Amino acid sequence: MKLVDEIYDTFKFHFSADEEDIYPIVFGILDSKSKEEIFDHLDELAHEDLAEMVTLYVLEQLQKKLAEEGIGRVTLGQDYTDDYLQ
């Protein structure tokens, strides 16, 4: 995606591997664009890339809802058999 390349070229020396550095920059750029401009960028994507983007968004939203409602297994990379959030 051309937008990703433009953001990367502009800010690559400002990024660390930490998402906290990247999020405000990307959010600010996208927040300043109109809905039509964002859709223009999405039109550049291949079907598989668009499907992956939407999948990641849906997964993130589902995880957020589960966390807000206290539903789900807490594993933290370990096996907590039958440990569920209440």
Side-chain angles (χ1 to χ4, degrees):
M1 177 185 248
K2 191 169 90 174
L3 177 61
V4 172
D5 293 337
E6 290 172 3
I7 294 171
Y8 179 78
D9 289 340
T10 303
F11 295 100
K12 64 184 168 188
F13 298 112
H14 300 280
F15 293 147
S16 68
D18 190 351
E19 181 180 317
E20 291 178 15
D21 293 341
I22 298 170
Y23 183 85
I25 292 171
V26 173
F27 182 82
I29 290 168
L30 292 176
D31 191 47
S32 70
K33 293 187 177 292
S34 70
K35 188 174 183 177
E36 291 77 22
E37 289 173 311
I38 292 171
F39 281 133
D40 287 343
H41 290 295
L42 294 177
D43 280 339
E44 296 174 9
L45 294 175
H47 173 77
E48 294 81 14
D49 292 334
L50 185 58
E52 180 181 357
M53 178 187 293
V54 173
T55 299
L56 291 173
Y57 174 78
V58 170
L59 289 172
E60 183 176 308
Q61 294 305 307
L62 286 170
Q63 290 172 340
K64 184 176 169 184
K65 277 184 127 0
L66 290 169
E68 288 171 354
E69 296 186 17
I71 300 172
R73 180 185 293 253
V74 178
T75 61
L76 302 173
Q78 301 175 20
D79 183 21
Y80 293 101
T81 306
D82 298 324
D83 286 349
Y84 291 89
L85 292 174
Q86 298 297 325

